[in-house]
Amino acid sequence: MQNDKNLSAEELIAQDVGARLPLGVMATVIAVLAGLWSLFQLWIASPLPFVVGVGVFNNTEARAIHLAFALALTFLVFPAFKRSPRDYVPAVDLLLALVASATAAYIYIFYEALANRPGNITTEDLVVALIGIPLLLEATRRCLGPALALIALVFLGYSLAGPWMPSLLAHKGVSWTALANHQWITTEGVFGIALGVSTGFVFLFVLFGALLERAGAGHYFIQLAFSMLGHMRGGPAKAAVVSSGLTGLISGSSIANVVTTGTFTIPMMRRVGFSAEKAGAVEVGASVNGQIMPPVMGAAAFLMVEYVGIPYIDVIKHAFLPAMISYIALLYIVHLESMKLGLKGLPRRDTRPWLQRLLGFAFGAAFISGLSLAVYYGLGWLKPALGDAATWVVAGMLAAVYVGLLKIAANMPPLPAEDPDAPLEELPETRAVLLSGLHFILPVVVLVWCLMVERLSPGLSAFWGTVILMVILLTQRPLLNWLRQGDEHQHGSFMDGVIDLREGLIAGARNMIGIGIATATAGIIVGAVSQTGVGLVLADVVEVLSMGNLVLMLLLTAVLSLILGMGLPTTANYIVVSSLLAPVVVALGEQNGLLVPLIAVHLFVFYFGIMADVTPPVGLASFAAAAVSKGDPIKTGITAFYYSLRTAALPFLFIFNTDLLLIDVDWLHGIMIFIVATVAMLIFAAATQGWFIVKSRWYETVLLLLIAFSLFRPGFWMDIIHPPYEDRPASELVQVLDELEPKDVLRLRIRGEDAVGDKRDFSVLLPVPAGASGAERMETLGITLYEQNGKFLIDSVGFASPAKTAGLDFDQEILMVKSPSDRWAKELIWLPTLGLLVLVVMLQWRRREPEITPVKA
């Protein structure tokens, strides 16, 4: 993608979805193709093909059709060069679109023949692959820029030139035939897991967001956030954070989020006193974090389901706390900036005493909670009682709720028009705004219900949410007109809803072009890694560079993610870095005695891939914000990166303190962690901003950083005071198992061979099972040992036993048994830490002034 700072916001968003907007017949062709793509994705996600017995596609066939649509649309809507025409499609691009889509569709058309001769490709197969791969790379260059295409080309060259590589990187090489077969004909390369996730999950969520935006939910969220927070100090900036977080639930693109909400919020922030760069940076910080905000996260989150091998509901659970903490900290940063500038809030209409408003909020929250419980248990009782009729009864209840919410909306004044230049004199009334768009929340509720309660697949959950949205788009206008009888305000006709639906289907498909192409091209890289074994070589290289130090390894991973993110979209960045480095980080952690969960490493890579949209000199979201604010894009990017330091700190923290990811944490402990971690992140934000109660002195900043670190990682200091584990010789393993309580966790230090036969030391965790004696517990774990020359070696490991699951294997040596020591709770470190915080508060409180003099932005 280009990064010309003179580009407008509209041009930047056009780059994201295709800058060519031809007229006449080709405009119709592009719209029809995009609409058909969306309808095809809805069809394969629905249960209808299995009901009617027609149009059932297996995974490989669906991926081939998905890529055929993406390739055709890429050549039609993305010009080859800056000087290429924008108002018509050249004949060469039309030809490339036909050929490229045919090479992808080849896998679908000849699927049965290919399946009957695996690994035995014909000349036709070879020709199709050798045409399809270069066209895919050209499509990647057009819609995503040259970086990903060049990286994929390097991996293809490496696959072919293995024998001529330096000794460390050398391999036997692959033939053109083997390359074509692996990368194009099988599901190991282009048509692999990444494209499968794009086909099965991601498209439906992107389409869901496009339809929700088209229905008017984006404007509703902005107005709701503005009405709730506009009265606070720096209220419009805080409203920007919340509205961008809400919009982030329905948008798959940081740039689209910036342009969607930023056109309204950035001018508001400018008018209350924020500089152009700070207004743009706040919007960027909020919009980019939308990709990490459950329940609808960025496309890479769905890839984690396949790569980590856990349900999407678990990804949501692990990502929830860091995302919430990050958004709360950004609100606090905005508050600190507002204090520096001496800003005031706007007058609010609700002049009730704060206690009365608080009681109203509490009653509202209690009502929603009670209603949620009633629905949860009510449906749990209804479904078994009604049997097959339950679906129709639930559909009828949903329809009744929808009409009821529209009746409430009809009694409210319409939302203000989307006019960023309107004067900021008075806030809209929160109650009126809230009630005017409650029906927009219904599809989100259905989506979350299907994901978290019914435990449906992400694709099927998004399908049902999208169906509800399509009904809303078609019916909300005529129903509102009917319910507002006698009112002069008209909401439009049924045909306006049809147009909205059509445009939403087209917008969803165009938003997906880049993701579809990125996942296909990233599959080339993943395929090259699996075909050549370069992953193991890179693991050794990275381990040498990090000198076996896990922190240095994480820093290298973060830097690599940031560098790659300058040219790759978040999804492609995540695929490349996680496939190369995630296993290395886990293995290096084991060697250092730190067992890092795989989900923590993948979230680490995900976070830094997102940070690349902020980081200058190529932070595309920063350029989009600068185009709206008319500020300097580099200064906007630097300020946004400064605001986003909280997001950069969180991945390092949850690698070493997995409690933040709610791994093996109960509800009570989870609430305590959330409160403490939020306070810690607010203190970290105050330290990085140089302002707490007043402007901080250098030593106060150092103390604040120390306080934040101690609240986040109390175990670091407690481990120094009292080691968490007691080292015991391997000969005492049975005795240690006898001493521990069931569900305690035992660590073993193991020496064994890695995948290439090299000796390495690593750690494993073993949950202590129930049993009357240590010997019984050893048997339950599935381990038998033998002694040889003073060494204790594993003689056998039971199939599917806890020991096998933990990674133990035949002939490994047990070096040491690490038994949990009896020590104080690590949370006791919080007591002196809070005392230190009180000291900093007292130091700054004495220097505060009754009124803060505004400083120049």
Side-chain angles (χ1 to χ4, degrees):
M1 280 190 190
Q2 303 138 354
N3 294 318
D4 187 349
K5 67 181 179 182
N6 296 319
L7 290 176
S8 68
E10 291 77 14
E11 289 170 320
L12 276 164
I13 197 67
Q15 285 185 6
D16 229 20
V17 299
R20 184 181 284 147
L21 296 170
L23 305 173
V25 175
M26 285 313 301
T28 305
V29 170
I30 290 170
V32 169
L33 272 177
L36 286 175
W37 191 12
S38 292
L39 292 174
F40 166 73
Q41 295 291 157
L42 284 167
W43 176 260
I44 63 174
S46 75
L48 288 176
F50 303 98
V51 173
V52 300
V54 177
V56 178
F57 301 93
N58 63 35
N59 288 337
T60 305
E61 291 173 325
R63 294 174 193 181
I65 297 171
H66 179 84
L67 183 57
F69 273 115
L71 285 169
L73 286 169
T74 298
F75 286 106
L76 292 178
V77 304
F78 285 92
F81 306 103
K82 284 184 180 181
R83 62 181 181 274
S84 299
R86 300 296 200 263
D87 55 350
Y88 70 93
V89 180
V92 65
D93 282 356
L94 184 57
L95 177 63
L96 289 174
L98 290 171
V99 174
S101 59
T103 58
Y106 180 85
I107 308 298
Y108 163 66
I109 296 168
F110 297 99
Y111 175 77
E112 285 191 18
L114 293 169
N116 289 330
R117 48 180 170 82
N120 183 22
I121 72 170
T122 63
T123 303
E124 290 79 8
D125 299 339
L126 179 62
V127 170
V128 167
L130 294 182
I131 293 173
I133 292 173
L135 288 178
L136 174 60
L137 295 178
E138 167 59 13
T140 305
R141 183 194 68 81
R142 290 192 181 201
C143 69
L144 301 170
L148 180 57
L150 287 173
I151 293 171
L153 198 59
V154 167
F155 275 86
L156 288 173
Y158 175 74
S159 298
L160 295 168
W164 298 281
M165 290 285 110
S167 58
L168 182 63
L169 297 174
H171 61 93
K172 67 178 182 179
V174 297
S175 65
W176 285 99
T177 303
L179 179 75
N181 179 62
H182 190 81
Q183 294 287 5
W184 197 266
I185 304 301
T186 70
T187 55
E188 297 296 322
V190 171
F191 297 95
I193 289 175
L195 187 64
V197 173
S198 177
T199 306
F201 300 160
V202 179
F203 193 106
L204 269 296
F205 281 88
V206 172
L207 178 61
F208 179 82
L211 291 173
L212 198 54
E213 177 64 34
R214 190 72 194 183
H219 181 52
Y220 169 69
F221 288 149
I222 291 172
Q223 290 294 329
L224 181 61
F226 187 46
S227 68
M228 293 173 66
L229 301 172
H231 67 285
M232 297 181 178
R233 190 189 292 268
K238 292 174 180 173
V241 174
V242 174
S243 61
S244 294
L246 293 171
T247 308
L249 300 180
I250 61 172
S251 171
S253 166
S254 301
I255 300 170
N257 202 348
V258 167
V259 175
T260 302
T261 58
T263 51
F264 185 80
T265 58
I266 289 175
M268 286 197 306
M269 287 188 273
R270 293 289 313 274
R271 257 175 280 150
V272 297
F274 278 77
S275 67
E277 287 75 22
K278 287 187 176 181
V282 169
E283 181 60 43
V284 169
S287 296
V288 168
N289 271 26
Q291 292 188 63
I292 63 174
M293 188 66 188
V296 184
M297 300 164 66
F302 299 102
L303 288 162
M304 285 184 209
V305 174
E306 299 296 328
Y307 287 166
V308 183
I310 61 175
Y312 183 63
I313 186 69
D314 287 345
V315 174
I316 290 174
K317 182 184 80 172
H318 297 317
F320 176 73
L321 227 58
M324 285 296 297
I325 292 168
S326 186
Y327 264 109
I328 292 170
L330 183 57
L331 278 171
Y332 184 58
I333 287 172
V334 167
H335 179 74
L336 293 175
E337 287 286 4
S338 303
M339 289 180 65
K340 293 179 191 177
L341 297 169
L343 302 182
K344 303 293 182 184
L346 297 173
R348 63 185 302 167
R349 293 187 180 185
D350 189 355
T351 57
R352 293 177 300 163
W354 68 268
L355 183 58
Q356 191 176 349
R357 294 199 301 271
L358 183 63
L359 286 173
F361 175 80
F363 279 119
F367 174 75
I368 293 172
S369 299
L371 184 62
S372 302
L373 289 172
V375 170
Y376 178 79
Y377 288 107
L379 287 180
W381 172 80
L382 271 178
K383 286 191 292 185
L386 296 173
D388 294 338
T391 302
W392 297 104
V393 173
V394 171
M397 293 169 62
L398 269 176
V401 170
Y402 169 53
V403 174
L405 293 177
L406 279 182
K407 176 61 179 174
I408 294 172
N411 294 328
M412 295 296 117
L415 293 175
E418 296 186 58
D419 183 7
D421 298 319
L424 293 177
E425 296 177 351
E426 192 176 31
L427 295 174
E429 186 182 352
T430 301
R431 179 178 177 276
V433 173
L434 174 66
L435 297 179
S436 67
L438 284 175
H439 57 287
F440 292 133
I441 301 175
L442 197 59
V444 180
V445 171
V446 169
L447 172 65
V448 174
W449 180 274
C450 291
L451 275 174
M452 304 186 73
V453 178
E454 299 294 337
R455 297 298 178 102
L456 301 181
S457 70
L460 191 56
S461 301
F463 168 77
W464 288 118
T466 304
V467 167
I468 301 296
L469 254 178
M470 294 169 74
V471 172
I472 290 175
L473 275 166
L474 292 172
T475 60
Q476 66 173 340
R477 295 174 184 273
L479 283 175
L480 281 171
N481 288 334
W482 174 62
L483 293 168
R484 273 183 176 274
Q485 289 179 359
D487 194 316
E488 294 181 0
H489 185 81
Q490 291 296 307
H491 292 271
S493 64
F494 175 78
M495 286 309 300
D496 291 326
V498 173
I499 293 170
D500 282 338
L501 177 58
R502 181 195 70 193
E503 294 302 315
L505 292 172
I506 294 170
R510 291 189 70 140
N511 290 344
M512 262 304 296
I513 296 173
I515 296 174
I517 296 296
T519 51
T521 308
I524 291 177
I525 299 165
V526 176
V529 171
S530 65
Q531 191 173 25
T532 63
V534 69
L536 295 173
V537 176
L538 289 175
D540 290 339
V541 171
V542 172
E543 188 174 341
V544 169
L545 290 175
S546 65
M547 297 174 290
N549 185 286
L550 182 60
V551 175
L552 190 54
M553 171 75 222
L554 292 172
L555 286 171
L556 288 171
T557 305
V559 171
L560 179 62
S561 296
L562 289 173
I563 292 172
L564 286 177
M566 292 180 182
L568 306 187
T570 302
T571 307
N573 188 358
Y574 166 75
I575 294 170
V576 173
V577 181
S578 64
S579 61
L580 292 177
L581 294 182
V584 185
V585 174
V586 173
L588 196 58
E590 289 176 348
Q591 293 176 31
N592 283 268
L594 178 69
L595 298 177
V596 183
L598 191 57
I599 182 63
V601 181
H602 280 259
L603 282 172
F604 182 95
V605 174
F606 185 30
Y607 267 59
F608 278 98
I610 289 168
M611 282 289 293
D613 274 347
V614 178
T615 312
V618 201
L620 292 177
S622 299
F623 277 82
V628 176
S629 70
K630 310 303 179 189
D632 182 275
I634 299 299
K635 289 183 179 177
T636 301
I638 292 171
T639 308
F641 180 77
Y642 194 47
Y643 289 165
S644 299
L645 284 175
R646 73 200 193 285
T647 307
L650 274 170
F652 286 96
L653 294 166
F654 61 58
I655 285 285
F656 292 99
N657 184 6
T658 56
D659 288 354
L660 288 171
L661 300 180
L662 298 179
I663 295 176
D664 298 328
V665 170
D666 57 49
W667 278 102
L668 190 60
H669 193 196
I671 292 170
M672 182 179 68
I673 289 168
F674 173 68
I675 294 170
V676 174
T678 302
V679 172
M681 186 51 72
L682 297 183
I683 293 169
F684 176 80
T688 56
Q689 292 301 304
W691 193 288
F692 187 31
I693 296 172
V694 295
K695 186 175 180 179
S696 298
R697 293 172 177 161
W698 70 267
Y699 56 86
E700 292 171 339
T701 298
V702 172
L703 288 176
L704 288 173
L705 289 172
L706 177 62
I707 292 166
F709 175 78
S710 301
L711 290 174
F712 270 122
R713 275 212 67 200
F716 177 83
W717 303 113
M718 187 58 76
D719 290 350
I720 294 174
I721 298 170
H722 194 307
Y725 292 96
E726 179 185 353
D727 293 343
R728 307 274 288 272
S731 58
E732 296 183 14
L733 176 57
V734 175
Q735 181 183 342
V736 171
L737 282 172
D738 191 41
E739 294 170 357
L740 295 177
E741 295 294 326
K743 295 186 179 180
D744 278 345
V745 177
L746 178 70
R747 280 178 182 247
L748 299 180
R749 192 69 178 163
I750 304 295
R751 176 168 293 161
E753 293 182 351
D754 60 17
V756 293
D758 294 331
K759 290 284 186 182
R760 70 183 184 97
D761 295 350
F762 59 97
S763 298
V764 297
L765 286 181
L766 283 175
V768 178
S773 65
E776 282 186 21
R777 292 174 177 180
M778 276 278 286
E779 186 177 346
T780 305
L781 289 173
I783 314 173
T784 57
L785 305 178
Y786 70 96
E787 185 180 0
Q788 185 180 69
N789 299 327
K791 297 179 179 179
F792 281 83
L793 305 173
I794 297 176
D795 189 28
S796 65
V797 179
F799 177 75
S801 63
K804 189 70 174 178
T805 304
L808 296 179
D809 210 344
F810 165 73
D811 217 27
Q812 291 174 342
E813 179 188 355
I814 300 180
L815 299 174
M816 190 179 300
V817 179
K818 291 180 171 287
S819 171
S821 60
D822 186 15
R823 66 169 187 170
W824 294 338
K826 63 182 179 181
E827 287 79 10
L828 287 175
I829 296 295
W830 289 342
L831 295 177
T833 302
L834 293 175
L836 199 58
L837 177 61
V838 170
L839 174 63
V840 175
V841 169
M842 290 173 61
L843 289 172
Q844 294 211 353
W845 191 265
R846 291 160 56 185
R847 299 202 308 273
R848 71 187 181 93
E849 299 176 7
E851 302 222 359
I852 300 171
T853 305
V855 296
K856 189 174 181 180

